[in-house]
Amino acid sequence: LTSLRGVSELTVGIDIGTTSVKALLVDEHGTVVNRARRTHELITSTPQTHEHDARAAWHDGVRAVWDQVRHVDGTTVPVAGVAVSAMVPSMAPAE
């Protein structure tokens, strides 16, 4: 972790990957202030398929890293923007 002294804006980047969700909290100069990672299971029922539990990977994992990365020195810091990238091609049905 780096110090927040003199930092005016923070941005979060979240990457929903094949085996984990990762997040970085960066300052306006691109310096990493905090990071978080949560793994999820990759399900391969046949050699041609790769599946995820959508709730675990795309919901619970994102919420967990979001909550973790914004806590710096016991404080929840304000965030100016968020960028999210995800594995492609992906599809999850919703009810």
Side-chain angles (χ1 to χ4, degrees), residues 23-41:
L24 291 178
L25 177 70
V26 298
D27 68 15
E28 66 267 24
H29 305 291
T31 302
V32 175
V33 176
N34 201 2
R35 65 184 66 224
R37 182 175 184 265
R38 179 173 174 156
T39 61
H40 50 256
E41 182 181 6

Side-chain angles (χ1 to χ4, degrees), residues 15-22 37-43 51-52 57 87:
D15 174 41
I16 306 168
T18 303
T19 58
S20 66
V21 180
K22 287 99 36 202
R37 182 175 184 265
R38 179 173 174 156
T39 61
H40 50 256
E41 182 181 6
L42 177 62
I43 303 162
E51 302 172 1
H52 293 94
M87 53 197 139

